């Protein structure tokens, strides 16, 4: 896996696409059991056949969890906190057998402290026909890359003639000041 991106490692407007995942009946039944939402629209084929959709559909919140999961590594970001979901829209049903993926676009970035920045992401759940299924905005706090600290050290060489040579080194430069004490 790639190293997580810091706040300064990506730009507004950049876009990422996640891997794809095919929705199964088992996914939907498992989500129904986990959440207690056993609405027959999701788990009863006879009931769902008489519904507007003519077949069972996945829970809308299951789609939202796939957005959070599939999108969490595309991009892989040094996220410190998940702050909000805003303006979420459920635009199309998710059927068993659909294959979904997430498109993520960085919409804005604002420094919010010495060590963090607030990032606004447009997250879109797409199906195999490239149709928008769900979309909205996620807000996260992302770590700002720590500034590298320069390491200073002194090395003193005394030569046989009594003059001194001092080397001052940092991580980015080296300066030789020969005869520093004899000027």
């Amino acid at each position: 896996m790639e190293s997580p991106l810091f706040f300064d490692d990506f730009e507004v407007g950049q876009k990422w696409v996640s891997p794809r995942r095919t929705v199964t009946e088992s996914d939907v039944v498992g989500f129904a059991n986990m959440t207690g939402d056993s609405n027959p629209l999701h788990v009863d084929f006879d009931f769902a056949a008489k519904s507007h959709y003519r077949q069972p559909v996945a829970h809308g919140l299951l789609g939202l969890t796939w957005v959070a999961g599939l999108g969490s590594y595309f991009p892989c970001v040094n996220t410190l906190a998940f702050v909000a979901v805003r303006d979420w829209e459920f635009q199309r049903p998710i059927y068993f057998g659909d294959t979904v993926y997430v498109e993520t676009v960085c919409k804005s970035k604002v420094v919010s402290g010495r060590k963090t920045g607030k990032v606004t992401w447009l997250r879109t759940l797409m199906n195999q026909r490239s149709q928008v299924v769900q979309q909205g905005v996620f807000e996260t706090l992302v770590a700002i890359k720590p500034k590298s600290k320069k390491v200073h050290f002194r090395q003193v060489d005394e030569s046989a003639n009594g003059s001194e040579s001092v080397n001052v080194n940092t991580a980015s430069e080296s300066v030789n000041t020969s005869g520093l004490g004899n000027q």
Side-chain angles (χ1 to χ4, degrees), residues 2-180:
E2 294 181 30
S3 296
L5 300 174
F6 286 91
F7 183 79
D8 296 324
D9 293 337
F10 55 90
E11 300 298 325
V12 171
Q14 270 188 277
K15 179 179 177 180
W16 297 265
V17 178
S18 78
R20 295 167 185 258
R21 184 186 202 299
T22 300
V23 180
T24 67
E25 178 183 358
S26 178
D27 293 331
V28 175
V29 170
F31 190 80
N33 288 333
M34 182 180 68
T35 63
D37 180 356
S38 295
N39 183 313
L41 186 59
H42 306 303
V43 296
D44 184 331
F45 279 86
D46 292 332
F47 178 88
K50 298 172 190 152
S51 75
H52 172 76
Y53 301 109
R54 305 278 186 239
Q55 58 184 306
V57 295
H59 302 75
L61 291 178
L62 179 55
L64 180 57
T65 62
W66 281 324
V67 171
L70 290 172
S72 65
Y73 292 101
F74 299 91
C76 180
V77 176
N78 198 333
T79 301
L80 301 174
F82 184 75
V83 179
V85 176
R86 302 199 191 284
D87 304 319
W88 201 258
E89 299 174 356
F90 300 89
Q91 297 185 4
R92 286 187 171 75
I94 303 169
Y95 298 108
F96 299 175
D98 278 356
T99 299
V100 295
Y101 61 96
V102 177
E103 292 182 353
T104 300
V105 177
C106 176
K107 297 303 284 181
S108 69
K109 295 171 49 177
V110 178
V111 173
S112 61
R114 289 181 311 125
K115 297 180 180 182
T116 63
K118 186 175 184 180
V119 181
T120 303
W121 310 93
L122 174 62
R123 296 267 170 113
T124 306
L125 184 65
M126 307 290 289
N127 65 19
Q128 69 275 11
R129 293 176 291 284
S130 298
Q131 297 170 318
V132 175
V133 176
Q134 298 180 11
Q135 74 175 3
V137 172
F138 279 24
E139 293 178 1
T140 60
L141 294 180
V142 175
I144 292 175
K145 189 180 295 184
K147 296 199 181 342
S148 62
K149 295 180 181 176
K150 291 184 179 179
V151 178
H152 297 276
F153 61 94
R154 288 176 52 109
Q155 181 180 15
V156 178
D157 287 333
E158 293 197 27
S159 63
N161 65 6
S163 70
E164 219 174 62
S165 175
V166 178
N167 289 314
V168 178
N169 295 305
T170 67
S172 60
E173 62 184 57
S174 176
V175 177
N176 184 345
T177 55
S178 293
L180 185 64

